Amino acid sequence: MTSAKAGLFLPVFIILLAYLYSRRTDNVLRERLDQVLDGLLRAEKKVSVAPKTKVAVGFGGCMDVFVNATQFLQRFGAVPPESPAHHDVVRDQEGLEEVFAYFFRSGAAAERFVSDENLFKKVVEFTKSMPHARWTMGGNAPVMANRFASEGFEVFLGAKSTKNTKKYVHAGVTAVGGDQEHDDVHFVMEYDVGDIWGKYTATRANRFIIHSDDSNPTISALENFADALKGQSIDLLVVGGLQMLDNFPFRTGERQTRLKKLDDFLAAVPKKTMIHFEMASFTEEALLQDLGKHVLPYSDSLGANEQELPNLYSVLTGGKIVLLSDSNPRLAVVLDQMRAVFRALRERKPGKNQRRVTRLHIHTLAYQVILTVKGSSWKNTMSAAAKAALTAHRHTCGKLDIDTNDARMIMDDSFATSKNQGSRRISLDNNRPVSCWDEENYEICVAPVLVCTKILQTAGGGDNISSAGLVLQI
């Protein structure tokens, strides 16, 4: 009997020890997250937004409709493909299934043009049967404009507007891109880490976007935008939405004509106005090469995510388009790619009215990295990195106040500053979580992200994060 009791006691004791250990571990992790949060908030609050700052943001706008990706595909009758495949353009439902699976299994964000208008209309119409489909204003420019306005800036928005989209524009935003009758629509298929579709499992939360735009690919708001800015003293001009030109069926020479118009506009921007170019998902090498001629030479600042940086790095260093890359890259890899992109752009001799890049901001799921040239117009890099990291959580969770019960950290406790042997290693200080150091003629700051575990939405995250980083640096 005593032996039986002892035999019963031992597993109960082990379970109790495991429970107590788990509770202790959870408490330690929660304490660490609270410390990091307090440190990020202190860094953010060190700097206030400069009053009366004027920002102009272009181009393009749309209405976004959000659906749960796997729920939509199942209801729509989409079939998981035996073999995922990449497509530059979605031409039919089978192509949609193949290209979605291609990015879904890697947890990579992507955006594709749908050439079959009937298929796209069918997809959008189907959302009426989706109980949790959400509609809101979208597009890089409107989302960034609203973020700047919410931070207290005076904002000019270069996007075509309809009566519908105007309802979503912040009171601090003046839409100057002109009017149109019908909205372009972007269909946003969001998924969470661990979501399953057939034999495919998402390795991280992300989104896949499809569109069949008419207005945005031609940068149709450009002329009205340029006219409205004449005589205005603009502190910052943000250029985005140019991924809409990717694989669009232009008439012969039309894209080059529109890009030359954009080139002329940027060349006329006064040097006192800083120019930021927000990258996106590009698959057409010719377009990236064109942007290298018509946009990058006028950009003081670039913003990109963990998929867009390797793409730009590859093209600038003589490689090809990179369709997929690590969705959670090591910091040392990102830092080396940032340095290479920075040097490649700085080595170019500026032409008339052109500029040399002085700022790079890379936003990833795990961390924010901002590089700024010392002595340039950009300031407060440390606070900007902290604000960008906090905004990443606030946007994806959909709450201003951050609850560490809804957060986790996936950035390592320490990181190497380069893949090169003998490189410096930096430990993360929970109380001062933003790490900054000098190299050559620039400063680099890295801030950990408190990754949201109760996601409201991922789309628009990069636009909000980039805007938040810029807010404290103007």
Side-chain angles (χ1 to χ4, degrees):
M1 189 72 174
T2 303
S3 175
K5 287 181 178 179
L8 180 62
F9 175 77
L10 185 60
V12 172
F13 180 68
I14 292 173
I15 292 171
L16 179 61
L17 282 179
Y19 170 75
L20 292 174
Y21 178 78
S22 175
R23 283 288 300 272
R24 182 174 179 275
T25 302
D26 288 345
N27 288 337
V28 170
L29 291 174
R30 189 65 51 224
E31 182 179 350
R32 183 192 184 208
L33 289 175
D34 288 339
Q35 289 175 341
V36 170
L37 174 58
D38 288 344
L40 290 172
L41 290 171
R42 285 196 303 273
E44 179 188 38
K45 292 173 182 176
K46 280 187 176 181
V47 182
S48 57
V49 175
K52 299 182 179 179
T53 303
K54 288 187 178 182
V55 180
V57 190
F59 292 93
C62 63
M63 286 299 296
D64 281 343
V65 55
F66 295 86
V67 298
N68 176 278
T70 55
Q71 288 179 8
F72 163 74
L73 291 167
Q74 289 164 3
R75 287 171 175 260
F76 193 68
V79 178
E82 186 61 33
S83 299
H86 178 260
H87 299 284
D88 291 331
V89 176
V90 175
R91 293 182 169 83
D92 51 34
Q93 183 170 325
E94 182 180 359
L96 174 60
E97 294 162 353
E98 290 175 343
V99 72
F100 173 80
Y102 182 85
F103 289 102
F104 175 77
R105 64 178 179 176
S106 300
E111 187 167 2
R112 292 295 177 272
F113 175 75
V114 179
S115 60
D116 184 342
E117 291 185 18
N118 290 328
L119 172 62
F120 188 74
K121 288 177 181 177
K122 181 181 175 183
V123 166
V124 173
E125 182 68 20
F126 193 80
T127 60
K128 293 178 181 178
S129 69
M130 297 287 292
H132 301 296
R134 295 182 294 111
W135 287 81
T136 188
M137 184 182 67
N140 300 97
V143 171
M144 296 186 81
N146 276 355
R147 167 56 61 178
F148 284 125
S150 70
E151 299 287 352
F153 284 3
E154 182 180 342
V155 186
F156 297 91
L157 171 61
K160 293 284 187 182
S161 302
T162 65
K163 290 181 179 179
N164 189 35
T165 54
K166 286 178 180 177
K167 295 185 295 185
Y168 295 90
V169 175
H170 190 283
V173 175
T174 303
V176 294
D179 296 327
Q180 64 183 13
E181 290 186 12
H182 303 290
D183 293 309
D184 282 336
V185 175
H186 290 192
F187 189 75
V188 186
M189 304 161 63
E190 296 200 305
Y191 51 86
D192 205 346
V193 60
D195 280 1
I196 297 171
W197 188 49
K199 62 182 180 181
Y200 309 109
T201 302
T203 56
R204 62 160 282 186
N206 226 318
R207 72 276 182 188
F208 182 78
I209 304 173
I210 56 175
H211 70 94
S212 190
D213 285 5
D214 291 322
S215 172
N216 291 326
T218 61
I219 326 176
S220 61
L222 176 57
E223 284 78 8
N224 287 332
F225 187 53
D227 288 342
L229 297 186
K230 289 177 181 177
Q232 296 285 348
S233 181
I234 303 297
D235 299 291
L236 173 69
L237 169 66
V238 177
V239 178
L242 299 185
Q243 73 276 14
M244 295 296 98
L245 285 69
D246 201 71
N247 288 291
F248 183 77
F250 287 99
R251 294 187 296 272
T252 302
E254 184 181 12
R255 186 166 78 184
Q256 287 298 324
T257 299
R258 296 307 293 163
L259 285 172
K260 181 61 172 64
K261 286 275 188 181
L262 177 59
D263 187 307
D264 293 340
F265 166 66
L266 295 176
V269 174
K271 287 293 180 68
K272 66 178 182 178
T273 300
M274 306 301 285
I275 299 178
H276 171 83
F277 175 42
E278 188 65 19
M279 291 286 294
S281 175
F282 295 100
T283 66
E284 193 180 349
E285 188 173 335
L287 176 58
L288 260 181
Q289 297 288 0
D290 285 340
L291 296 179
K293 297 175 185 176
H294 298 293
V295 179
L296 290 178
Y298 299 102
S299 302
D300 299 287
S301 170
L302 297 179
N305 67 19
E306 74 285 342
Q307 301 290 321
E308 297 150 9
L309 173 65
N311 202 5
L312 181 61
Y313 165 77
S314 179
V315 171
L316 286 177
T317 55
K320 299 292 184 181
I321 287 285
V322 176
L323 296 172
L324 278 177
S325 54
D326 190 347
S327 62
N328 190 20
R330 306 290 292 184
L331 187 46
V333 173
V334 167
L335 289 168
D336 283 343
Q337 290 178 342
M338 288 179 71
R339 294 182 186 102
V341 166
F342 177 76
R343 287 167 185 154
L345 293 174
R346 293 280 291 187
E347 286 170 1
R348 296 180 174 186
K349 185 177 180 180
K352 184 179 180 181
N353 298 323
Q354 293 181 347
R355 307 158 185 236
R356 278 200 171 106
V357 67
T358 49
R359 180 182 183 272
L360 297 177
H361 179 185
I362 306 303
H363 40 89
T364 80
L365 180 68
Y367 49 81
Q368 304 290 314
V369 190
I370 300 180
L371 178 157
T372 51
V373 170
K374 290 181 284 187
S376 67
S377 297
W378 306 109
K379 55 190 178 182
N380 308 319
T381 307
M382 187 269 288
S383 293
K387 187 175 185 65
L390 291 165
T391 301
H393 181 102
R394 289 165 178 157
H395 174 77
T396 51
C397 267
K399 295 187 297 184
L400 182 61
D401 295 326
I402 296 175
D403 184 348
T404 53
N405 288 306
D406 300 334
R408 63 189 178 104
M409 275 181 54
I410 56 178
M411 180 175 161
D412 294 334
D413 292 340
S414 66
F415 61 89
T417 57
S418 172
K419 292 188 300 180
N420 295 330
Q421 189 173 2
S423 64
R424 179 183 177 187
R425 192 161 194 91
I426 296 177
S427 296
L428 178 63
D429 183 340
N430 295 339
N431 293 305
R432 301 183 67 182
V434 184
S435 304
C436 297
W437 67 95
D438 290 341
E439 294 183 11
E440 299 179 12
N441 67 329
Y442 52 83
E443 176 187 30
I444 296 176
C445 287
V446 176
V449 173
L450 298 175
V451 180
C452 175
T453 58
K454 293 184 179 179
I455 297 170
L456 174 66
Q457 71 178 60
T458 60
D463 296 326
N464 278 274
I465 293 164
S466 277
S467 302
L470 286 163
V471 160
L472 298 184
Q473 295 208 265
I474 298 299

